[in-house]
């Protein structure tokens, strides 16, 4: 039953029998047979079928909620038993919005020092993708914004507040200033994150609050790409201070505070709320809380 529920989750995520079968490492006939057996066991039709996948039935949507819960609990049970036998080991899958990627080592490094048998994979994703990945059991936790847009049923650990700064080359626009306003920033050539990023939506809102609209001449979903363009002296960008400092080119850039307004936005670690958490997620949340306490002391 659990295997069939995992197959069903994959099908709901991929919305395509062949892609789901390929992801699971099984043949398409095997997947189709498993879904039909699941339907027979539950006595309901889960998938609208035609020549191709046409979505889930209302009963299928409800079963999907149960499937995620049951599969998540089964994984938790297996991890607890493995931890009881061997201590904490396994693999943690993280996803982080671009502006928090520089913070990831502040969690993973001390965690791995305490638990050397645990490995990590880290993806860059936008805030909506992180919530979807959590919901579909594709990641264990994410680093994202905790305000502004709905998070759903998650457990969160606030880590720090983002304050936005103009990032410009030492010889670039407004580099002689200690602070600038949002209206002044609107008049320089900007490179910004793409509009699917919550960071960009927040920045657009702050520009709108002062009655201006910006059209950046370069967009990217990578802060590294933005920073490399800032270094040419032809572009400026808007980033949290800690992100700009993480690239290590302090002598080549100027970080200028943006005021009027000078907002802050909370970011932190999120994990799907469940009791109990897997041993790995529980330990990860604990490490995040240690980091949060250090941030508060600074």
């Amino acid at each position: 039953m659990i295997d069939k529920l995992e197959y069903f989750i994959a099908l709901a995520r991929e919305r395509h029998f062949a892609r789901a079968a390929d992801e699971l490492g099984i043949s398409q006939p095997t997947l189709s047979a498993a879904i039909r057996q699941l339907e027979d066991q539950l006595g309901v039709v889960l998938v609208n079928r035609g020549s191709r996948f046409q979505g889930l039935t209302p009963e299928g949507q409800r079963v999907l909620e149960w499937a995620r819960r049951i599969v998540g609990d089964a994984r938790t049970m297996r991890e607890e038993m493995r931890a009881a036998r061997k201590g904490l080991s396994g693999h943690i899958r993280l996803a982080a919005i671009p502006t928090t990627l520089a913070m990831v080592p502040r969690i993973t490094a001390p965690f791995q020092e305490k638990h050397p048998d645990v490995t990590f994979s880290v993806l860059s994703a936008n805030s909506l993708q992180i919530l979807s990945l959590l919901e579909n059991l594709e990641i264990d936790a994410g680093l994202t914004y905790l305000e502004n847009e709905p998070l759903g049923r998650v457990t969160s650990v606030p880590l720090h507040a983002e304050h936005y700064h103009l990032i410009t080359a030492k010889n670039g626009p407004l580099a002689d200033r200690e602070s600038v306003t949002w209206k002044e920033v609107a008049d320089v050539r900007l490179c910004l994150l793409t509009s699917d990023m919550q960071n960009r939506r927040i920045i657009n809102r702050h520009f709108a609050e002062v009655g201006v609209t910006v059209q950046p001449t370069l967009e990217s979903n990578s802060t590294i790409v933005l920073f490399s363009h800032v270094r040419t002296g032809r572009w400026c960008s808007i980033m949290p201070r800690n992100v700009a400092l993480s690239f290590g080119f302090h002598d080549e850039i100027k970080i200028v505070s943006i005021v009027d307004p000078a907002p802050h936005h909370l970011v932190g670690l999120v994990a799907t709320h469940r009791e109990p958490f897997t041993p790995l997620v529980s330990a990860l949340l604990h490490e995040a809380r240690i980091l949060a306490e250090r941030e508060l002391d600074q």
Side-chain angles (χ1 to χ4, degrees):
M1 173 66 80
I2 291 175
D3 286 345
K4 291 170 189 171
L5 291 175
E6 293 213 30
Y7 292 176
F8 181 58
I9 291 171
L11 177 60
R13 179 170 61 245
E14 294 296 328
R15 301 184 63 80
H16 192 280
F17 276 92
R19 287 198 301 266
D22 186 59
E23 179 196 319
L24 293 164
I26 61 176
S27 68
Q28 186 173 334
T30 299
L31 173 61
S32 297
I35 298 300
R36 289 198 180 277
Q37 290 168 11
L38 183 61
E39 290 177 322
D40 290 341
Q41 286 178 280
L42 297 175
V44 294
V45 175
L46 302 176
V47 179
N48 290 314
R49 296 174 178 84
S51 58
R52 62 184 66 184
F53 179 88
Q54 295 180 350
L56 302 182
T57 64
E59 294 81 5
Q61 290 288 353
R62 185 68 181 126
V63 169
L64 180 60
E65 295 177 20
W66 279 102
R68 288 166 173 160
R69 192 181 312 172
I70 292 167
V71 170
D73 286 345
R75 291 180 182 179
T76 300
M77 179 182 67
R78 286 195 292 264
E79 283 196 23
E80 279 198 7
M81 295 306 99
R82 182 176 62 197
R85 294 194 315 271
K86 302 179 179 179
L88 204 61
S89 63
H91 187 74
I92 294 178
R93 302 159 301 169
L94 288 174
I97 57 174
T99 57
T100 64
L101 286 169
M103 177 184 288
V104 173
R106 300 176 65 186
I107 297 176
T108 54
F111 186 101
Q112 218 275 331
E113 187 174 345
K114 295 172 186 173
H115 309 290
D117 293 329
V118 175
T119 59
F120 289 89
S121 58
V122 182
L123 304 174
S124 177
N126 66 44
S127 57
L128 295 178
Q129 289 171 332
I130 288 173
L131 295 180
S132 176
L133 291 167
L134 280 174
E135 184 178 51
N136 287 316
L137 307 179
E138 295 178 87
I139 58 172
D140 301 295
L143 282 162
T144 187
Y145 292 100
L146 303 184
E147 305 166 322
N148 306 302
E149 297 178 4
L151 287 175
R153 195 165 180 266
V154 300
T155 295
S156 61
V157 179
L159 293 177
H160 83 108
E162 281 190 352
H163 297 268
Y164 294 121
H165 294 73
L166 179 71
I167 312 302
T168 185
K170 275 290 176 69
N171 60 347
L174 303 175
D176 59 336
R177 303 280 295 278
E178 293 302 317
S179 66
V180 292
T181 67
W182 287 90
K183 282 191 174 182
E184 289 173 315
V185 172
D187 292 330
V188 302
R189 185 195 300 260
L190 289 172
C191 56
L192 299 174
L193 287 172
T194 49
S195 57
D196 62 321
M197 297 289 175
Q198 189 174 164
N199 168 273
R200 174 65 181 282
R201 295 194 290 275
I202 291 171
I203 287 172
N204 285 349
R205 189 169 71 243
H206 291 315
F207 278 122
E209 287 170 356
V210 297
V212 295
T213 302
V214 296
Q215 294 295 332
T217 58
L218 185 142
E219 297 178 319
S220 175
N221 62 0
S222 166
T223 52
I224 295 175
V225 171
L226 300 184
F227 193 81
S228 64
H229 281 80
V230 168
R231 290 178 64 204
T232 68
R234 291 183 55 81
W235 282 271
C236 299
S237 190
I238 300 171
M239 299 181 191
R241 180 182 179 85
N242 64 312
V243 175
L245 292 175
S246 69
F247 293 105
F249 296 97
H250 308 166
D251 295 335
E252 299 180 36
I253 62 168
K254 180 70 182 295
I255 301 174
V256 183
S257 298
I258 304 178
V259 298
D260 192 27
H264 66 272
H265 299 276
L266 203 59
V267 298
L269 186 78
V270 296
T272 302
H273 182 76
R274 65 168 60 251
E275 291 292 346
F277 288 107
T278 68
L280 287 174
V281 171
S282 181
L284 187 69
L285 290 168
H286 176 70
E287 198 62 50
R289 292 185 182 105
I290 293 175
L291 175 58
E293 289 176 3
R294 288 201 299 266
E295 288 284 315
L296 289 174
D297 290 339
Q298 292 179 0

